[in-house]
Amino acid sequence: MAELVAVIASTHHPFYYRASTSTGEDRPPFADEWVRKVEAFRETLTRARPDVLVMVGSDHFHQLWLDNMPQFLVGKAPVYDANWYNEEREFGLPRMVLKGQEDLSAYILREGLDAGFDLAFSNELRIDHSITCPIITLRPEADLPIVPVYTNIFAPPLPQPKRFVQLGRAIRELVESWPSEQRVAVIGTGHLSLELGGPRQFGPHGPDPQFDQRAVEWISSGDIEGCLAEVTLDSLHAPGNATHGFMDFMLMMGVAGEGQKADYVDTYDLFHTMEAYFTWYPGGSK
């Protein structure tokens, strides 16, 4: 059976690539510390020596739109074109081509359907920054095959938070039952408190530092039940209008498991959001 060697959850700030590669007067004052934190975080994946990456993210209305919005979708393609024109224009993100792990995609789809998840799939999925940003931060060589899993965190009606946790648990079971000798890392990205286009978008930190503190505590301690007791679809409106992306963090808590403390935790307050980085090693500390 395949071995789950790392579970990694992080934010996916699209400005990191431009900030980290800019020089001279164009380089923002926070870039050096951000790069230092990301490079330390990157090592947590490198040490796990994965062969395959299962990547959990959310399409930002690039390919999935209101005419057909799946709640959970698995990519099943041999290759994935990545990043969209507005991401290149606004954030300087590069065009990318990522190899797919088709047999694991097919396994997750078949077994996931039989486990009670009505998973959508796409053989022609194009990837956006929710998946390419963690590739850039964690595996800039972009040399490992991926299985993209997209969740709906934008277009109501949304799945309940507990459904994200349930899917995370199912993904772990499916990875660990995959008949393969491959080493698999599951990487998922979401948000803490976040406001887009609203009055709290730009400040010295995220729009709700108290929520961010509680969120980091829930994630780092693996307190799934405590998190589910407080987080609802309605409550996630209060910390910021884009905070529903936190449910992808909850999915990753499901992958890691109830009560599983993260082996690595780091955060960084930027000008409008808290960046957060977590790693678990299911087989023990690497």
Side-chain angles (χ1 to χ4, degrees):
M1 297 296 104
E3 181 181 1
L4 179 62
V5 295
V7 178
I8 294 181
S10 77
T11 42
H12 57 249
H13 203 307
F15 190 57
Y16 175 76
Y17 182 79
R18 174 167 284 172
S20 64
T21 57
S22 58
T23 60
E25 294 182 356
D26 293 330
R27 191 171 180 85
F30 50 79
D32 290 347
E33 178 63 8
W34 199 3
V35 168
R36 187 192 69 77
K37 285 179 174 286
V38 164
E39 289 182 347
F41 179 48
R42 181 181 303 159
E43 180 59 23
T44 69
L45 177 65
T46 302
R47 288 187 344 221
R49 297 181 290 109
D51 301 309
V52 182
L53 306 178
V54 175
M55 305 293 301
V56 178
S58 300
D59 179 74
H60 293 69
F61 291 117
H62 284 116
Q63 182 155 352
L64 306 177
W65 189 241
L66 302 180
D67 58 345
N68 188 359
M69 178 60 68
Q71 302 294 2
F72 301 114
L73 178 145
V74 178
K76 190 168 70 74
V79 294
Y80 300 94
D81 289 326
N83 292 322
W84 295 74
Y85 171 69
N86 72 308
E87 297 171 310
E88 299 173 41
R89 180 192 65 219
E90 299 298 325
F91 308 117
L93 292 179
R95 290 282 182 96
M96 302 172 71
V97 177
L98 303 172
K99 182 181 178 182
Q101 186 75 37
E102 292 180 89
D103 53 348
L104 179 53
S105 291
Y107 184 80
I108 289 174
L109 281 163
R110 178 68 269 165
E111 299 301 318
L113 287 167
D114 293 346
F117 286 90
D118 295 328
L119 301 170
F121 71 89
S122 173
N123 290 343
E124 299 181 0
L125 186 66
R126 185 171 174 181
I127 305 293
D128 78 353
H129 71 267
S130 68
I131 287 177
T132 59
C133 283
I135 293 289
I136 288 168
T137 55
L138 287 163
R139 192 76 178 194
E141 305 94 325
D143 59 340
L144 296 178
I146 69 168
V147 175
V149 179
Y150 268 153
T151 68
N152 176 21
I153 60 168
F154 291 115
L158 305 178
Q160 293 289 342
K162 66 181 179 181
R163 195 60 171 161
F164 283 77
V165 173
Q166 291 166 352
L167 180 58
R169 290 169 174 158
I171 287 173
R172 176 166 183 163
E173 292 176 3
L174 296 177
V175 166
E176 292 182 329
S177 66
W178 180 36
S180 169
E181 299 302 314
Q182 302 271 47
R183 297 169 62 85
V184 181
V186 180
I187 301 171
T189 64
H191 308 134
L192 300 184
S193 69
L194 186 65
E195 180 112 339
L196 297 178
R200 295 181 294 168
Q201 178 168 357
F202 295 110
H205 45 63
D208 192 333
Q210 291 184 334
F211 174 85
D212 292 343
Q213 182 179 2
R214 291 200 306 277
V216 170
E217 291 172 355
W218 288 325
I219 300 167
S220 60
S221 65
D223 186 9
I224 296 174
E225 293 307 314
C227 183
L228 284 171
E230 293 193 40
V231 174
T232 68
L233 291 176
D234 289 337
S235 75
L236 286 172
H237 288 287
N241 61 18
T243 309
H244 287 84
F246 178 67
M247 292 193 293
D248 278 345
F249 273 114
M250 297 179 73
L251 188 155
M252 297 308 299
M253 293 169 69
V255 180
E258 174 69 44
Q260 295 300 311
K261 295 183 178 180
D263 295 292
Y264 180 92
V265 179
D266 197 9
T267 62
Y268 190 35
D269 268 323
L270 286 181
F271 52 93
H272 69 292
T273 186
M274 175 183 276
E275 295 295 281
Y277 312 105
F278 307 88
T279 300
W280 297 261
Y281 295 118
S285 182
K286 299 294 178 182

